[in-house]
Amino acid sequence: MRKIYSLLIVIFLFTTGCGGQSLRQEIEEKTEEGKMRVGFSQMENNSPWRIAETNSIKSEAEKRGIELIFMDAEGDVEKQINDIKYLIDQKVDYIILAPKLYEEFGEALRLAKEAKIPLILLDRKAKGEPGEDYLTLIASDFIWQGQQAANILVEAANEEAYIVELTGTEGSSAAIDRAKGFREIIDQYENMTIIASESAEFNRADGKRVMESIIRYREKKITAVYAHNDEMAIGAIQALKAAGMHPGQDVVIVSIDGEKDALKAIIANELYASIECNPFMGPVTFDVIERHQKGEEIAPHIVSEDRIYTIENAIRYVDSAY
Ligand code: GYE
């Protein structure tokens, strides 16, 4: 009997054209009957940062009694698009999407919207309008991170450096904006020169490999490295050491994330600083979902607050880092 009533309410709301309200009502009906179901499409799950983020989402869902359908695209954008289609077919109540690239998710966003499934972009941007093509973006401010990395490097290098930039995945919003923010500052200094800029895919093995090849073919002395994440910086440190250089002494290195190995490298005086990129986004993400269910207004971009790790504070945070 209750089911019939629920159905009648939903039909009533649809026919009276309550728009966004009817969708929310429908979700409430569903949750009343059973658990809410949320799909999470993760781009890959193979680095400390990604694993920390995945675990944060999973444990928060569990804590709140929400069923989570987890999809790992294993770095494959085609698979990630299919994963989203699968979640839409599963008629989940919400989709959380950590998109690998910026440009390629237009169709997926459109399909979720057509299916009236609110979609939250997590940690990276995908092209589209918040509130229109997706509900909101929950992520760090990558431009700010790039600017901070540059400011720190300028100071540490006394406004003069030959910089190697190890960029993240080409076409990802994290790589695009971290490069942009960095240049906004670096370009103001005549003697801060980027001598090489190459992608190392946000991972340690490529960081090492790419750094090795840059060292081999360099024309100028390398005095600084800016890596778009810690994993690549750690790979670069290994390559520099293998080539007889002394990271922390003759090469200043700055990166982004704040993972445990990076804090250890700061304490070892090999990494100069790491700009935090907080991966623990479970609580804020499910708060957004709960607030949205209550009909509250959701801001288009929810920005994580990130700190800066240096020798001043790394010891304090290393044990609790991921
Ligand atoms: O910094 C990096 C990861 O998109 C914020 O992606 C994320 C970045 C993070 O692979 O380590």
Side-chain angles (χ1 to χ4, degrees):
M1 196 59 185
R2 240 181 81 214
K3 264 199 183 140
I4 294 170
Y5 273 128
S6 305
L7 198 66
L8 286 175
I9 290 170
V10 171
I11 291 169
F12 171 75
L13 285 169
F14 268 118
T15 48
T16 51
C18 286
Q21 207 45 46
S22 67
L23 171 65
R24 229 165 270 140
Q25 186 72 35
E26 205 190 351
I27 291 160
E28 271 159 30
E29 297 301 327
K30 272 191 209 160
T31 48
E32 225 181 282
E33 307 261 332
K35 270 188 177 184
M36 192 194 334
R37 291 160 72 240
V38 173
F40 175 29
S41 164
Q42 175 62 289
M43 67 186 82
E44 60 204 2
N45 203 36
N46 55 0
S47 66
W49 195 95
R50 286 278 141 213
I51 293 166
E53 180 188 57
T54 297
N55 291 344
S56 174
I57 295 287
K58 281 185 177 172
S59 64
E60 196 61 27
E62 206 181 309
K63 216 191 264 174
R64 300 186 192 216
I66 292 168
E67 184 188 332
L68 190 79
I69 303 177
F70 175 67
M71 308 295 291
D72 174 5
E74 294 165 10
D76 179 343
V77 172
E78 285 304 307
K79 179 174 185 312
Q80 190 163 32
I81 292 166
N82 284 329
D83 287 351
I84 298 160
K85 290 179 182 167
Y86 171 81
L87 293 172
I88 294 170
D89 281 348
Q90 288 297 306
K91 297 191 168 47
V92 292
D93 300 308
Y94 286 84
I95 293 176
I96 305 167
L97 164 64
K100 180 167 170 158
L101 301 178
Y102 178 71
E103 295 278 351
E104 353 288 298
F105 287 88
E107 188 206 359
L109 296 189
R110 186 175 51 75
L111 291 172
K113 189 181 172 181
E114 277 170 19
K116 296 197 164 60
I117 301 174
L119 183 145
I120 294 168
L121 289 177
L122 193 69
D123 91 66
R124 287 186 196 170
K125 241 184 283 173
K127 197 174 175 182
E129 277 301 310
E132 183 60 35
D133 301 313
Y134 56 88
L135 181 59
T136 181
L137 164 73
I138 304 175
S140 287
D141 182 343
F142 299 144
I143 300 268
W144 177 86
Q145 291 175 337
Q147 290 169 340
Q148 295 314 305
N151 283 328
I152 288 170
L153 214 52
V154 166
E155 217 193 296
N158 253 323
E159 301 186 11
E160 187 175 347
Y162 291 120
I163 309 160
V164 169
E165 179 185 32
L166 296 178
T167 63
T169 303
E170 219 174 296
S172 69
S173 75
I176 296 165
D177 287 350
R178 285 172 184 173
K180 191 166 172 245
F182 187 72
R183 280 163 182 72
E184 282 173 11
I185 304 294
I186 290 298
D187 288 351
Q188 298 169 27
Y189 297 87
E190 221 179 298
N191 297 324
M192 295 290 290
T193 317
I194 301 172
I195 57 168
S197 176
E198 273 183 51
S199 173
E201 289 294 331
F202 278 126
N203 75 64
R204 190 182 294 208
D206 285 327
K208 182 165 184 278
R209 186 181 54 76
V210 171
M211 194 67 211
E212 275 165 2
S213 91
I214 293 172
I215 292 169
R216 212 170 304 133
Y217 298 108
R218 76 193 141 158
E219 281 166 15
K220 291 211 165 61
K221 201 171 165 232
I222 297 162
T223 63
V225 174
Y226 165 45
H228 287 191
N229 81 349
D230 290 339
E231 283 293 289
M232 296 189 292
I234 288 160
I237 289 173
Q238 292 169 351
L240 289 163
K241 282 185 176 170
M245 287 182 250
H246 303 94
Q249 292 169 40
D250 42 25
V251 187
V252 190
I253 305 163
V254 175
S255 61
I256 298 170
D257 272 354
E259 65 175 40
K260 195 191 269 299
D261 281 355
L263 300 192
K264 284 186 185 164
I266 291 174
I267 293 164
N269 271 315
E270 293 181 340
L271 181 64
Y272 189 78
S274 180
I275 318 303
E276 184 186 26
C277 184
N278 190 341
F280 302 110
M281 289 192 275
V284 54
T285 303
F286 287 100
D287 280 351
V288 163
I289 289 177
E290 278 181 13
R291 287 202 288 113
H292 182 254
Q293 286 224 290
K294 285 188 204 138
E296 286 177 30
E297 207 50 54
I298 306 296
H301 183 184
I302 296 163
V303 189
S304 317
E305 277 209 22
D306 296 318
R307 60 166 70 87
I308 293 172
Y309 295 109
T310 63
I311 196 70
E312 301 293 325
N313 61 358
I315 289 181
R316 201 176 336 140
Y317 294 107
V318 69
D319 287 338
S320 58
Y322 53 95

